[in-house]
Amino acid sequence: MTATDPALTALAQGWVALSLLHSRIESHIERALQSGHDLSVREYSLLDVLSRQHDGEGGHLQMKQVADAVVLSQSATTRLVTRLEDRALLTRYLCPTDRRGIYTDVSEAGLRLLAEARPTNDTALREALDAAATNPELAPLVRAVEELRVPTRSTPAPSA
């Protein structure tokens, strides 16, 4: 394949469209969360991910797992955790079975803020997708996003 290969050009155009869609959605949600709740998209995402932890086996995430879930480096995630801990939205504690491990939980104040911010996040996401759907280059991507169904842990796998 060469740089002028139509397949590469189409692939590059698809990547640009995907990047544009992501940027528009994130910017719209960022403005809504900042103005309504003094939260960034990353802060909201971190609170959301950590709020889904549970006390069962494998229910608490290690920092690398948290970083992967919020799509940040481990060092950036640690700084973000520290900022939210300073705001009393998170707490850290030692893992009871491995003193080298540190877990992070959402505090009651963090859970309240997350509950208040969730409708704002959801509305802003819907608005951003609706706006993007009017762009012929982004409309197919919006449809793809809307058709995604991520299985949850409680959803049984389809039988063969």
Side-chain angles (χ1 to χ4, degrees):
M1 282 196 221
T2 65
T4 57
D5 186 316
L8 282 180
T9 302
L11 189 61
Q13 288 172 339
W15 172 243
V16 167
L18 181 60
S19 181
L20 177 63
L21 178 62
H22 176 269
S23 178
R24 286 185 180 184
I25 291 170
E26 188 171 61
S27 294
H28 189 75
I29 295 172
E30 180 80 28
R31 286 189 301 276
L33 288 173
Q34 281 291 344
S35 68
H37 307 283
D38 194 28
L39 276 176
S40 71
V41 169
R42 299 289 185 207
E43 291 167 337
Y44 175 87
S45 295
L46 181 65
L47 289 172
D48 184 53
V49 165
L50 291 175
S51 74
R52 296 172 193 276
Q53 296 181 118
H54 56 85
D55 290 331
E57 176 139 357
H60 280 87
L61 302 172
Q62 297 172 347
M63 197 57 69
K64 178 172 181 359
Q65 294 168 304
V66 174
D68 289 345
V70 295
V71 194
L72 289 172
S73 68
Q74 280 188 259
S75 61
T77 301
T78 299
R79 288 190 301 272
L80 184 57
V81 165
T82 300
R83 279 199 314 269
L84 291 179
E85 187 179 33
D86 290 347
R87 291 175 57 187
L89 300 175
L90 297 178
T91 58
R92 288 191 239 198
Y93 63 95
L94 290 176
C95 170
T97 58
D98 180 359
R99 293 290 186 198
R100 296 170 296 171
I102 297 176
Y103 288 142
T104 306
D105 274 339
V106 182
S107 68
E108 289 301 318
L111 290 172
R112 280 192 303 275
L113 181 58
L114 180 61
E116 292 167 7
R118 186 167 275 125
T120 301
N121 179 79
D122 295 348
T123 298
L125 174 59
R126 181 74 265 157
E127 291 168 353
L129 287 170
D130 289 347
T134 65
N135 179 325
E137 293 175 355
L138 300 179
L141 293 172
V142 171
R143 283 192 299 277
V145 168
E146 291 173 337
E147 290 171 4
L148 281 177
R149 297 289 182 258
V150 179
T152 60
R153 289 183 184 188
S154 61
T155 304
S159 54

